[in-house]
Structures are given as structure tokens and as C-alpha cells.
Amino acid sequence: MSDLHWLGVLDLARGIATKKVSPVEVLQAHLTRIEQLDGRLRSYLAVFADSALEAARAAEAAVAAGGSLPPLHGVPVAVKDLFAVAGTPTTGGSRFLTEPARADATVVARLRAAGAVILGKLNLHEFAYGPEGTNPHFGTPWNPWDATVHRLPGGSSSGSAVAVAAGLSPAALGSDTGGSIRMPAALCGVVGLKPTYGRVSRAGVLPLSWSLDHAGPLARRAADAAAILSAIAGADPADPSSSRQPVPDYVAALSGSVRGMRIGLVGEYLRQAEDEVQAAVAGTVATLERLGCVVAEVAFPTARFALGASLGIIAPEALAYHAPLLSRHAREYAPDVRQRLLVGRFLTATDYVTAQRARLVIRDDVEQALRRVDCLLTPTLPVAAPPVAAVELTVRGRVETPRSAFTMFTRLFNLTGHPAIAVPCGLSRGGLPLSCQVVGRAFDEASILRLAHAYEEATDWHARRPAVA
Amino acid sequence: MAAADDVERLARELTTELGLPHDEAEAVAAQARRVVAAVRGLEALALGDAEPAPVYGFAP
């Protein structure tokens, strides 16, 4: 097989299981790729070449021995450096967290149990507190869609999206508190899935905001995200927020029909996006209608309060975790992250409780819409990737920071907890990826994955490759 | 609501307490004003009898 680095999770798993390709070859292809490109892309903070090679050799021996193999047998997966991997530090993208983890995060252990080979730890916006994906300590990952201009990769899971987009890993884990899986996935032209709150354990993941944090996969196809989700989802005694809801086989669920699915287009969000984003989403609507879906506009009267509710929760929760670290390492934080953390000191306990009350009202609003439709459709972002140097953007005539623009359509679903997936749906005039977001009912990841998969089968946006690749 | 009454003063105190550059107080204060305004804007939302979402175990 050639171009092993462009094969997806399921193709690699099938190839390995049928002995068409060896896990060691697959790993070597990715290690070579990382060596060739990552000096510039800066997606990895650590590459576990030795331990991964050892795991790949063991996987190869297991294939040779025959017998049944776990679903991700021999498939490399990399994780955001917010997830604990035993024996290595979880830096959170900082320079001062250097203590090696004593145990794997639950999701890392589950990936290993499913046969995956842990390839390395990925760059991120420091402590996952920023949607731009910048990192002054290790260098901001290079969005691979522009070979000449350093554009924002999106964050906070910036390294995860860049590595997957550039063929440096077939899939990655990220975390999402206001859009941190979906935003970088959108800007880098890959799929990013934020599962339902409680669907995936966060035990062993550095927290940003306990009640908004979600863990989930990034991959180049929805089917590959489904395979990763199947491996990591489910109750975990180590995470009190994890749910006991049964975990379906998400890969098997991809094959159902989408004909007759009712899709609520969030017009209020669509109209806030730039023209080229609106055109891409209109194209998505046309494709979904050709597939037999019924698309109608929906509205959330309380959506405009999502920003206030989100900030009222994230700022105090983030500061509560970081206060002891700040008192010892304040000067070692990136200034933007430090400033965001300090804002938590300006809010009162009443503000926090009010935000958590508002959250339920907002969630009920979205729940009502999801009783009338099977899923919601929005743009993931209002714009394509701006240059790293951009301090401000103009979005439909309004001046926004990248931070405020990026989170416009994503943070609502961290508040409500509904599952949401970002899917490539076009290219800008400048050849940069555009993305739409599909949001499902609670614990119905299967439907949004099925819809995303059907959309991919009908289009080729997911198959486009970036300039630096 | 006293915490937001003197944003600049609190920002200066925080940066001094943490040994940060004095010009950072201005950036912190600017962000704090925006965030506090957004959060206090929730007063316009009719909360009625709504209870707070539990920090753990929240799922729709």
C-alpha cells in the first residue's frame, strides 16, 4: 500500500487485520512524515517513537499469531497534551508542568485496550484556554492549508487538527470547552466530534471548566471519528460526570439511511457568517435535500445569552483550578491565558449561579427545537482561517477578535451538552477549508455521524488535501 | 455586585500580587469589563424558577 499516512482509521484497521499492511510499516510511515513536516508544522510536543514502535511490533506479532483482534489494532492515534499518558508529563502546553503522569487517562487506556498505538502528544493553546490555537512556549502550529502565510490553526486542540489534516496521524483526541475540537477541525479541514456531555470520560484530562469540558476525536472522515468514539465512550467510575447511557456501535450505525431526516437550519447563526460560509452551508443544505433530508429553519430565542452564560461558568471554574498554579507560576503562563484566568476574580458567586441557571433555560430552548427536528445545522465558524498576525477580523461588517468570532456558533452546545460534529463543506475563495456543524439530540451521536458520513459519501470536501502535505 | 465596581483597582492589585508587569493591569481590566458586562446581561433573561445546572452530572 502506498501513502499509508493518508489512510484513515478504519482503512488502516482493515488493512492490518487482513495482513495487507503491517502495524510497523504504518507507524514508520507516520514517524517519517512527522520527521519531514513537523519541524514546520509544530503539531507534536512529544513523539513516542520507541514505545510506539514497541507497541506496533507487538501488534504485528498478534496479527501473525492469528485470532481475533480489537477494533483499532495497530492503528496510531495521537492525543492532545492535556490527556495523561503514563510515564510522560501532561504539560497542557505549558513549560512548567513537567511531572510524569502515573497512569493513563481513561480514554488513553481505552484506546490502548482497543489496540491503538499511542503515537505522541499534541500541541495546544496553553491549558486549552483559547480558540486561536497559538502557543508562545512551543510555537503556534502551522495551519497546513497555506504554505506561505502562517494562519491560525484554531484551538485549543490546534496540534490535533494540524496533525490529522497533514497526515501526521490518522486520528487524534482533543478537548472542547467552547468549541476547542470543532474550531480547529473546521479551520484545518477535518472532522471534529464533541460528544454529549457525559458520553466520554474526562478522568486524567487536565480540566479547564469541569461543567463545560468534553473529550472527543478528530479524524479525516466521520466514520473514523465513529471508530474512535466507539473505543472511548462509556461510563467511568473515575469521572463522576460520565453517563451510564448504553454505548451503541457507532460504526455499524453509519450505514442507516438519512432519507426523511428532519434538519433544523439555525438561520440566526447562518446570517452572521461571511458570504462564502453562507454559500458553503447552502450547498450542504442542497446536498442533504438531494439525500432525502427535510431542511427547515429553526430559532433559539435565548441563544444570544450563550456568551454570557458560558463566560460566567468558564471564568470561575478555570480560575478555581488554576489559582494555586497561578500563585506559583504566574509569570510562566502565556499572557493571554493568564489574563483570561484573572478575569475569574471579577465575577461573584451570584454571577456563577446565575450563569448555571441561565444554562438550563438555554438548554431547554435547544431541546424544544430538537423535539421538532432530528438535528441542527449551523456553520461551524463564520470565517475561514485568518493569519496568525490578525488582531481583528471583520465579520459581516462587525469588528471581532479571532476569539469572539471563532466561538460564535460552537459555545452554545457546550452549555447545552448536545453532541456536535464539524464537517468540511467547502473551500473559501483563497482555498481555505469551510465547515458546517451538525448538532444532535443528547446521546444520539449515531445520527449526526450517520448524516456526516452520508454527506461525505455524496461530496469530496473531506478528500481535499492541504498545501503543506 | 461589588466585585466589578472598581475593575481597574482590582486589576492593579492582582497584577501586583502576582508580580506581573504593571501594564498588564490594563489588559486584565479591559477583558474583565467585557466579561462582567456579558455575564450581568443574563439579568435580561427570564430565569423564573430555573435551578442551577449541577456542576457534575449535567447532561441533557
Side-chain angles (χ1 to χ4, degrees):
Chain A
M1 280 190 193
S2 62
D3 282 352
L4 287 176
H5 56 271
W6 286 128
L7 291 183
V9 171
L10 287 171
D11 287 338
L12 285 170
R14 282 188 209 106
I16 289 167
T18 55
K19 300 186 184 175
K20 289 188 178 129
V21 63
S22 105
V24 174
E25 281 178 296
V26 171
L27 177 69
Q28 293 288 11
H30 285 91
L31 291 174
T32 301
R33 185 92 175 149
I34 292 166
E35 197 173 320
Q36 286 170 343
L37 293 178
D38 211 45
R40 181 176 187 192
L41 294 176
R42 299 177 188 153
S43 62
Y44 280 83
L45 297 186
V47 179
F48 304 146
D50 293 340
S51 62
L53 191 56
E54 195 179 322
R57 284 186 180 133
E60 191 168 72
V63 173
S68 69
L69 299 171
L72 304 179
H73 189 78
V75 177
V77 178
V79 303
K80 183 179 187 176
D81 198 6
L82 209 62
F83 294 77
V85 172
T88 71
T90 311
T91 69
S94 75
R95 284 281 186 192
F96 58 85
L97 291 188
T98 54
E99 192 73 18
R102 282 196 289 268
D104 284 341
T106 296
V107 287
V108 172
R110 286 179 177 175
L111 283 174
R112 289 194 207 272
V117 172
I118 304 301
L119 186 48
K121 306 286 287 288
L122 296 160
N123 204 348
L124 65 156
H125 203 115
E126 189 184 28
F127 294 118
Y129 209 2
E132 302 93 340
T134 51
N135 189 307
H137 312 302
F138 298 101
T140 297
W142 187 287
N143 187 321
W145 284 83
D146 193 327
T148 54
V149 177
H150 192 183
R151 291 183 179 275
L152 287 174
S156 62
S157 309
S158 46
S160 301
V162 169
V164 172
L168 274 55
S169 183
L173 292 186
S175 66
D176 191 317
T177 307
S180 283
I181 289 173
R182 292 159 288 157
M183 293 182 288
L187 293 174
C188 293
V190 299
V191 169
L193 172 64
K194 179 197 80 69
T196 311
Y197 186 85
R199 175 79 300 176
V200 173
S201 168
R202 296 96 40 90
V205 186
L206 278 183
L208 174 59
S209 175
W210 296 280
S211 71
L212 296 169
D213 290 343
H214 300 63
L218 296 94
R220 291 187 291 269
R221 300 278 320 242
D224 293 333
I228 300 292
L229 182 63
S230 285
I232 63 175
D236 175 16
D239 180 353
S241 73
S242 69
S243 169
R244 293 177 192 280
Q245 290 269 342
V247 179
D249 180 338
Y250 294 110
V251 176
L254 294 170
S255 56
S257 170
V258 298
R259 182 163 293 282
M261 270 183 89
R262 295 164 303 165
I263 296 166
L265 177 66
V266 185
E268 185 183 344
Y269 278 3
L270 184 63
R271 288 185 283 277
Q272 292 179 60
E274 286 286 271
D275 286 344
E276 59 189 2
V277 177
Q278 292 196 23
V281 175
T284 305
V285 169
T287 301
L288 294 175
E289 286 177 335
R290 277 199 302 279
L291 292 170
C293 300
V294 181
V295 184
E297 199 164 306
V298 295
F300 312 125
T302 62
R304 66 193 172 94
F305 295 102
L307 175 66
S310 177
L311 294 174
I313 294 168
I314 191 170
E317 291 191 4
L319 182 60
Y321 178 78
H322 279 277
L325 288 169
L326 265 175
S327 67
R328 294 198 303 275
H329 300 284
R331 295 179 77 94
E332 297 165 75
Y333 278 81
D336 68 316
V337 173
R338 180 169 65 215
Q339 289 159 19
R340 284 170 200 173
L341 287 168
L342 289 177
V343 165
R345 288 281 294 268
F346 294 78
L347 295 173
T348 64
T350 309
D351 290 328
Y352 178 72
V353 173
T354 301
Q356 289 284 19
R357 293 178 72 206
R359 176 185 201 170
L360 287 192
V361 173
I362 295 165
R363 185 195 74 183
D364 288 348
D365 206 8
V366 175
E367 283 276 279
Q368 282 203 10
L370 280 165
R371 283 190 201 109
R372 298 191 298 275
V373 296
D374 299 299
C375 55
L376 306 171
L377 178 67
T378 80
T380 308
L381 297 173
V383 292
V388 168
V391 178
E392 291 178 339
L393 312 173
T394 303
V395 183
R396 301 211 71 77
R398 295 185 317 273
V399 176
E400 303 272 358
T401 60
R403 182 187 182 200
S404 62
F406 287 1
T407 55
M408 282 166 71
F409 312 141
T410 54
R411 64 165 77 241
L412 173 64
F413 304 107
N414 293 79
L415 274 179
T416 68
H418 294 98
I421 188 167
V423 183
C425 72
L427 292 177
S428 71
R429 285 181 293 278
L432 300 168
L434 303 173
S435 173
C436 61
Q437 173 178 235
V438 182
V439 181
R441 293 175 179 155
F443 297 103
D444 190 16
E445 286 83 0
S447 288
I448 60 172
L449 283 162
R450 185 162 68 246
L451 190 71
H453 177 66
Y455 176 72
E456 287 175 350
E457 293 287 292
T459 58
D460 69 349
W461 299 115
H462 62 279
R464 307 294 178 97
R465 297 288 173 247
V468 186
Chain B
M1 301 299 171
D5 287 350
D6 193 351
V7 169
E8 284 77 12
R9 179 185 51 76
L10 180 53
R12 280 196 305 273
E13 282 175 11
L14 283 173
T15 49
T16 302
E17 178 187 319
L18 293 171
L20 301 173
H22 289 302
D23 57 0
E24 199 158 318
E26 206 171 301
V28 171
Q31 278 208 49
R33 273 192 294 271
R34 281 196 298 274
V35 171
V36 169
V39 177
R40 305 273 158 87
L42 294 173
E43 288 165 6
L45 181 60
L47 290 175
D49 296 330
E51 293 192 7
V55 172
Y56 285 113
F58 172 81

